[in-house]
Amino acid sequence: MKNSNLVLGLLGGIAAGTVLGILFAPAKGSETRKIIADKGSELNDNLKDSVCKLSDKITQTISELKNDSQKWMGNTKNIQEEERANLENLKDINKAVILG
């Protein structure tokens, strides 16, 4: 949570500094507007790229967790089957001992 706030704060500070720097630069209004539009477009592209990377990482993590849980569930199923077989063997042994 703190890292995301820090990143958002840094991005906001960079954006504000860029806009203020451009507004106070000695350039014609049309040039300044074009520079602001270009920087806004660049920031938008960077944000889209970051969101895509984050989305890919989340998708990958979910896939890995799903695979791990399926393996775990498969192992659990095998253990249950082995224990049922052991229980049946114990029943057979007990019957043999009792009937004897």
Side-chain angles (χ1 to χ4, degrees), residues 31-90:
E31 291 175 13
T32 301
R33 286 189 295 276
K34 182 176 180 342
I35 291 170
I36 291 172
D38 291 344
K39 290 292 182 180
S41 178
E42 182 181 326
L43 286 172
N44 187 29
D45 292 342
N46 289 341
L47 181 60
K48 284 180 184 178
D49 185 48
S50 294
V51 169
C52 286
K53 286 179 182 178
L54 179 61
S55 175
D56 290 344
K57 183 65 176 171
I58 289 171
T59 301
Q60 177 185 356
T61 302
I62 289 172
S63 178
E64 289 171 359
L65 288 171
K66 183 178 177 182
N67 290 337
D68 289 347
S69 67
Q70 287 174 343
K71 288 178 187 175
W72 184 77
M73 292 301 290
N75 290 340
T76 302
K77 186 175 180 180
N78 291 338
I79 291 169
Q80 286 176 338
E81 290 171 1
E82 290 173 6
E83 290 304 316
R84 282 190 189 119
N86 289 338
L87 183 59
E88 290 300 319
N89 289 337
L90 285 173

